[in-house]
Structure formats: structure tokens, C-alpha cells
Amino acid sequence: MARRKKLKNSSLLQILAGIVILVVITIIGGNLDSELLDSLQKDLEVDSLENVQGDDNFSSSNNSNVQVNGNLIVDFIDVGQGDSILIRQGEHAMLIDGGTSECKDDLLSFLASEGVQRFDYIIGTHPHEDHIGSLDDVVNTYDFDTFLFPKVTTTTKTFENLVNAVNNRGKKFTTPLSGTEYNLGEASFKILAPSSDSYQSLNNYSIVIKLTYGDNSFMFTGDAESLSETEILNSYDDLSADVLKLGHHGSTTSTSMKFLNAVSPKYAVVSVGKDNSYNHPTKTTMDKIKNLNIPVYRTDEQGTIECISNGKDITFNVEPGTYSYMGD
Ligand SMILES: [Zn+2]
């Protein structure tokens, strides 16, 4: 009898559970359908992108407005006249550019002091010495998954050293296609440039990315000039970003008013050497930033600038700098 009663109770429980499940499915049915559709769509997007380039690091969605845990840490490293930006999210790390060859010791000791173990990505925005100068030393020191580099070569020793260092790791450059998205932990970034096959100025080969973490976003421009900015404006709708790394060290060649308005940054960063011989940044560029009341952080005044996003808010480890300039 006792056994029968138990059985009876358990089948009653099963029926009750069934009813609850049915009710739940009915209530959230619409959501389930759209989620299913979303995931199917994502699968399709990943497949088609993999077909194009055969890389497995593509992101299928924009992380905008996605709940994130932890922080995104962006360091604009003081490498004198040049660019080098370390980006970390959880265990994931990426380096955009590696300054000149003279900054090698400073750069390597900074990366070591920050406890960097390896890189998911290294980006060489373009082949100029103030961007790839110490990247060969970085590659000789740290393992990495993907090295993004534009499809352009130069005959300099610096470039040759970099190619050899990458080859010695048994790797090669990946040419990013404009529009492609990659994941960096819970952050993602989209390639916005270059989109043409050839340019007169090496600067315009610069890989430009927009990186998104939760509600925050960053625009990293390398040395892209206004011609590349125009191509980006013509190809992409949402260029808004909280932080804009000004193109080409604040030179007049970059940060066209149209591009600046489209990005509409809350903060600007200039990576530039003190008393540099190029007269960067220029009055033209700094006046644009000043007139829009955008706080500017600059490596020649603040040294290495660390900027932390929790996915909602961005904080800097230093106070903003001045709008002073070197050239016109
Ligand atoms: Zn440069």
C-alpha cells in the first residue's frame, strides 16, 4: 500500500511539474523563439565569416548593452613619440602598436610589471617605425594567437625584423577585413579600416578599430588620416565612442571635423612625445577638441594613461592635460 501511495504521489508531482513547465513555456514562448532565431542567425554569421577568412576568433555579435562582469583596462603607454596601447579584459590581452625601437626597455618592463603573460591579439596598425619599432621584441618575448597587420610591406630593417620575429614563432600576419568583428574576452572590436587596397600615404593603411565593452566604447585610429576617416564615415553608421585616440599623434592630417562629430567622444587621448620634432599635436586639432570641451589626456604630459571601464563608466588614473600644441 505504502509503495502504491508513493507511486501515486510521484505521478501527481510529475503532472504538476508538467503543468508548470507548460505555463512557463507559454509565458516566455515569444522570447524563446526570438532567442532561437538569434542563435541560429549568429551561427550563420560565424560560418560565413569563417568561410571568408578561416579564422576562429570572429565575434558574431556586437557586445553593446550586454551585461559584463569585471573591468576593461586600457593603458596608453608612454613610449615617447609613437603609439602603444595595452588592452586587457579578464585573462585576455591585446597590444596595439609597440612604439619605436628606442622604447623597447620601457615597453617590455611595463608589460612585465602589469603581469602580461601572452596576447590574444597584437595589432601593428601600419609599418611606420614609431608604431612597430619594438614589436619584434614583444613577439620574441610573448606568445600570441593572432597578429593583425594591414596588407602592405616596406623595405625597412624594422619591418624585416618584425616579419622574422613573427615567422620565428611559426605564425604569419592576418590581414583584417573591414567590418570583421573579433572577441577579446567579454569585449569585442570591429575593424573599420583600411578598406581600400592601396593608398599613397602609409598612414592610411592604419588599422582602425572600435572596441566595445558593455555600454562603453573606444576608437583606436593609429595614424589614419582624413581620407581614411572619410572612407569610414561612408561605410559605417555608428561611430560614436566614449574615448577617441586622436589619429596621427594629433596631427592636422587627421581628426577631421566630420569624423570628430561622428565619434563625438567624451574623452580624447593623444599619444605623443615631449618636444617631438614633428610638431605634434597641432593647434588645428587641439582647438577642435578644446572648442567641444572634450577633456584631453596626453602621454607627453600625463605619462602612461590608464583608463578603466566597468562596462558603464570610464575612469582615468590621471587628471586631463592641457590643450597646448607644438605646430599649426
Ligand atoms: Zn605615428
Side-chain angles (χ1 to χ4, degrees):
M1 264 308 267
R3 191 176 149 79
R4 243 189 108 177
K5 201 172 178 186
K6 238 186 206 165
L7 274 176
K8 213 172 173 184
N9 278 347
S10 84
S11 39
L12 247 176
L13 271 173
Q14 277 173 6
I15 291 166
L16 269 173
I19 290 169
V20 169
I21 288 168
L22 270 174
V23 170
V24 169
I25 286 177
T26 313
I27 291 170
I28 63 168
N31 289 340
L32 267 183
D33 281 347
S34 68
E35 270 172 26
L36 249 174
L37 271 174
D38 271 352
S39 77
L40 277 172
Q41 207 165 5
K42 279 174 192 169
D43 285 344
L44 278 174
E45 279 169 20
V46 169
D47 278 342
S48 60
L49 281 168
E50 277 174 354
N51 285 339
V52 172
Q53 218 170 340
D55 196 304
D56 58 359
N57 279 319
F58 289 106
S59 156
S60 55
S61 63
N62 190 329
N63 281 12
S64 187
N65 303 318
V66 168
Q67 198 83 31
V68 290
N69 297 301
N71 288 331
L72 176 84
I73 307 171
V74 180
D75 291 294
F76 297 90
I77 307 166
D78 179 13
V79 289
Q81 180 68 11
D83 273 22
S84 189
I85 305 160
L86 172 66
I87 304 169
R88 283 166 292 168
Q89 205 294 297
E91 298 297 303
H92 303 273
M94 166 159 95
L95 185 70
I96 303 177
D97 287 334
T100 61
S101 49
E102 288 95 79
C103 77
K104 171 192 163 185
D105 292 340
D106 288 345
L107 177 59
L108 291 181
S109 65
F110 179 80
L111 296 176
S113 72
E114 292 295 310
V116 173
Q117 301 290 321
R118 67 189 310 284
F119 292 102
D120 296 53
Y121 307 93
I122 300 176
I123 298 181
T125 58
H126 67 297
H128 278 151
E129 210 265 341
D130 57 324
H131 294 254
I132 63 164
S134 290
L135 280 186
D136 57 335
D137 300 299
V138 171
V139 167
N140 290 334
T141 312
Y142 292 96
D143 197 9
F144 62 90
D145 292 330
T146 304
F147 199 117
L148 297 170
F149 202 81
K151 204 178 175 72
V152 62
T153 57
T154 52
T155 52
T156 61
K157 186 77 187 143
T158 311
F159 180 71
E160 192 187 318
N161 289 345
L162 176 58
V163 172
N164 288 338
V166 171
N167 289 345
N168 287 341
R169 284 261 177 212
K171 303 265 173 67
K172 52 185 181 177
F173 292 151
T174 298
T175 307
L177 295 176
S178 184
T180 306
E181 285 191 47
Y182 296 87
N183 288 325
L184 179 75
E186 291 187 78
S188 70
F189 62 95
K190 186 174 190 170
I191 308 289
L192 305 181
S195 55
S196 296
D197 291 334
S198 66
Y199 297 95
Q200 270 198 325
S201 165
L202 266 187
N203 288 338
N204 282 326
Y205 284 93
S206 286
I207 294 174
V208 177
I209 68 167
K210 178 177 166 178
L211 183 135
T212 304
Y213 183 65
D215 294 337
N216 293 141
S217 52
F218 298 72
M219 184 79 80
F220 301 104
T221 53
D223 281 356
E225 300 180 355
S226 49
L227 183 143
S228 172
E229 292 174 355
T230 303
E231 287 184 338
I232 294 170
L233 284 163
N234 291 340
S235 305
Y236 298 100
D237 289 330
D238 182 17
L239 298 178
S240 65
D242 298 294
V243 179
L244 170 64
K245 200 264 346 166
L246 296 186
H248 198 194
H249 322 285
S251 162
T252 308
T253 57
S254 310
T255 319
S256 59
M257 209 56 229
K258 252 189 158 177
F259 187 72
L260 183 58
N261 283 332
V263 178
S264 183
K266 288 195 187 90
Y267 312 99
V269 176
V270 188
S271 189
V272 68
K274 225 183 196 118
D275 301 324
N276 65 82
S277 57
Y278 303 92
N279 288 332
H280 295 155
T282 62
K283 181 181 192 308
T284 313
T285 303
M286 296 313 273
D287 279 355
K288 287 177 188 168
I289 303 295
K290 187 182 177 182
N291 292 338
L292 291 169
N293 288 318
I294 301 167
V296 65
Y297 297 83
R298 40 198 293 175
T299 56
D300 61 343
E301 291 185 355
Q302 277 79 48
T304 293
I305 298 154
E306 187 165 273
C307 165
I308 298 180
S309 158
N310 62 7
K312 291 246 173 263
D313 302 302
I314 293 173
T315 51
F316 286 79
N317 70 332
V318 286
E319 293 300 315
T322 70
Y323 296 102
S324 72
Y325 49 86
M326 295 268 296
D328 292 334

